[in-house]
Amino acid sequence: MDFQLTDEQRALKDGTRELLAGRFGRDRLRAAVEDPAPDRALWRELGAAGFFALRLPEADGGVGLGLPEAVLVLEEAGRALLPGPLVACQLLAGVVDGVAAGERIVGLCDGAREPALWEHPGGCDELIFVEGEGGRRGGSTGGPAGGAGEGAQGRTGGAYRSAPDQVSCAPFASVDPLTPLARVLDLPHAEPVAVDMPRLRREAALLTAAQQLGSAVRTVEMAAGYAREREQFGAPIGSFQAVKQLCAQMLVRAEMARSAVYAAAVTERALDITGAKLLADEAAVRNARDCLQVHGGMGFTWEADVHLHLKRAWWHAERWETAGEAEELLAAGLIA
Amino acid sequence: MDLGCTPEEEDFRARLRRWLGEVLPHLPAPPAATDWPGRRAYDTAWQRMLYDAGYAGLHWPRDAGGQGATPAQHLIFLEETERAGAPYVGANFVGLLHAGPTLAAEGTAGQRARWLPPILRGEEIWCQGFSEPDAGSDLAALRTRAVRDGDAYVISGSKIWTSHAEVADWCELLVRTDPDAPRHRGISWLAMPMDAPGVTVRPLRTLAGSAEFAEVFLDEVRVPVANRVGAENDGWRVTMVTLSFERGTAFVGEVVACRRVLGALARAARANGRWDDAVLRRRLGRLSAEFTALWWLTQWNVSEAMRGPGRGGQRGGGVPGTGGSVFKLRYSHARQELYDTAAEVLGAGALDVEHAWVADRLSSLSYTIAAGTSQIQQNIVAERILGLPKGR
């Protein structure tokens, strides 16, 4: 047992952080708030660095690493608030041509959610739509997604690929300025994709949790950094216990999430991933809120980056497994 | 990142499991929680069995009489003994988890030879004389004075919250040896015999109804200078060694126990219909994630300790880092939430003080206070890990 990063894992994580710091620093982040479309040049650079092909076998031109490594790079992406369908491209790198190299960008839409939301609809070359297990949503035979009673037809869920112009969408005003969204109304089910659906969902949840972890760790650093420097009443606010305790609670949440996310990446057990998503969602959302509180009035402004973390965390918390679903699954696991 | 066990570790686990299977069915029933003489006899008999089977002081270094096991093996030991329902470390707690490791790390050869073997064999019980009425979590405010008189210190003052004091043979005592020095300096760590003239023990009754800790009054107690561990006035540093052990590994077995209780709670809720309450169900689900994560966090901290420098700088020394404070902060609250949830499952049954879950609910109230309150732990985390400035 050695539940710590290996030297290679640490190098991968540090390398990803450096790459993102160099190519997606604060100026680039703020520019992306105005234009959140994925940066194609950066995407190709990430592809060349093996970001998307991380888990493909070396024989297929991949890096041949595993889920823990994918978690580490997505943690860094979450930390940097890198916009774009990162989880989709990570999971579909071996399925859709050009994704592994960063040449093409693919989106992933969870049809089990109502509404079925597609992230970066304007930035994707293709969409993979994953139906809910209960049946077919957004289907051309079923009317608009989310119609009453739909989804209870007992059909096994499938995955379908569509070109963007084949997808019928309604506008959706995303709370996260870095993540444009569209509501999927209808799409052809002409081209099924052979993917292991339960596995895809599990891994999507875990990789989303990894981004939440990165964000939670980053907001602790932002809060502590601000608390060390900002002076009030003639002293750094970080010397006041009330502020200290907020920051300490943030760190505890982040470390709990880290343990859960990393362990789930190793065990790959469904319930471990469910627990990891629950704790990482909570860490990202609550840490962003506490970070905002530590920043005081500054934290409430558009100029501070805190709200970007909070809004992204809200979006990620709604994806793949919500808190309520996770808690029910974990409870059921106690008596299984 | 590796959560698997090596073949050696699996072999260790299998042997331990076999031994537990052989001895546990023949153990007598444990005494009542409030019967301290009975508990001393029971706990020390169990320690003797561990000693004879080669499991005493598992994580202690070999040159201190321990087994020199890796922290990973220690974790397996705690996991397996808890899973098998073996007795808890009990009255041996301070000796095995605080005083022993401190003596092993900081004691002279003679001190180690005198005190360590009786701890390992379950012959001598230790208690902890750190806290005082005006120095609880603010340990550096302690005032008990020790004045040098020839080859002895003459000690006057009082200690409080001293667990097991009634049945202890020795006390790891913090005293102020230089009243003029800054408060963190001028403190020394002494081994005090509890039967020395001038020592008076007055049991304190806890809110759980038991008398598991006491006030200790010291009236011109003479303790040989030779009983001082570490240099004179260097007791604060020695104490930090003790506390890092306490916060690092002392609660490991309990996490396993809490996961077991959680499963029992879910089954009880199913049996009595409370399971139909979605709020309760969701609370149980959340606690499941929390205790699982706490178990991984323990593995993380232990792995970190195994990599870090240990006693004398060698790798794998297993001195826990500040991760222990992070663990204790969340664990102490999660434990209270667990037993509050148990009360919800029990309904009016939660008013029955003899129910094991109710007794545990009461004792869990001490977890956010003992070994440094949550507020103090948060200050430690904020200052030492996040680098926030000291203040008030």
Side-chain angles (χ1 to χ4, degrees), chain B residues 40 42-51 54-61 64-67 74 77-78 81 87-105 115-128 164 170 172 189 241-247 249-251 318 320:
Chain B
R40 175 185 166 130
Y42 186 83
D43 295 344
T44 52
W46 170 244
Q47 181 60 28
R48 180 71 205 199
M49 289 175 73
L50 289 171
Y51 179 83
Y55 292 115
L58 201 63
H59 58 304
W60 289 19
Q67 306 296 324
H74 187 210
F77 175 82
L78 293 166
T81 47
Y88 185 56
V89 62
N92 295 299
F93 185 89
V94 172
L96 284 167
L97 293 165
H98 298 203
T102 305
L103 285 159
W115 285 306
L116 295 179
I119 292 174
L120 291 172
R121 289 195 296 259
E123 290 164 1
E124 290 182 348
I125 296 293
W126 283 67
C127 63
Q128 187 182 68
H164 319 145
W170 291 93
E172 49 170 358
W189 196 106
V241 172
T242 309
L243 292 182
S244 71
F245 282 104
E246 179 175 17
R247 288 168 192 160
T249 54
F251 301 101

Side-chain angles (χ1 to χ4, degrees), chain A residues 1-7 9 68 72 220 224 227-228 236 238-241 243-245 247-249 251-252 255-256 258-260 262-263 266-267 269 272 275 278-279 282 323-324 327-328 330-332 334-335, chain B residues 1-4 9 72 75 262-263 266-267 270 275 278 281-282 284-286 288-290 292-294 296-297 299-300 302-304 306-307 326 329-330 375 378-379 381-383 385-392:
Chain A
M1 183 197 85
D2 183 18
F3 187 39
Q4 289 276 307
L5 301 191
T6 63
D7 292 344
Q9 286 170 335
L72 296 177
V220 183
R228 279 193 297 265
S239 66
F240 301 123
Q241 283 206 354
V243 174
K244 261 183 205 177
Q245 308 224 329
C247 293
Q249 287 161 8
L251 184 81
V252 170
E255 291 303 312
M256 287 284 284
R258 181 194 307 283
S259 304
Y262 287 3
V266 174
T267 72
R269 281 197 298 256
D272 289 344
L278 178 69
L279 296 180
E282 180 180 287
E327 286 167 351
E328 287 285 7
L330 289 159
L334 286 172
I335 52 170
Chain B
M1 286 190 282
D2 176 17
L3 286 162
E9 287 164 357
L75 215 58
L262 194 57
R267 288 189 296 278
R270 260 263 282 247
W275 189 253
R281 226 169 35 233
R282 285 187 57 174
L284 289 167
R286 165 164 292 272
S288 173
E290 298 257 4
T292 302
L294 283 164
W296 301 133
L297 181 58
Q299 317 256 37
W300 182 263
V302 166
S303 296
E304 190 178 27
M306 283 171 76
R307 285 183 170 207
V326 173
L329 266 172
R330 188 58 208 135
Q375 288 65 38
Q378 285 174 343
N379 285 353
V381 164
E383 290 169 11
I385 303 181
L386 294 175
L388 296 187
K390 287 194 181 288
R392 40 203 62 255

Side-chain angles (χ1 to χ4, degrees), chain B residues 320-334:
Chain B
T322 37
S325 287
V326 173
F327 173 86
K328 188 199 178 260
L329 266 172
R330 188 58 208 135
Y331 172 65
S332 57
H333 289 273

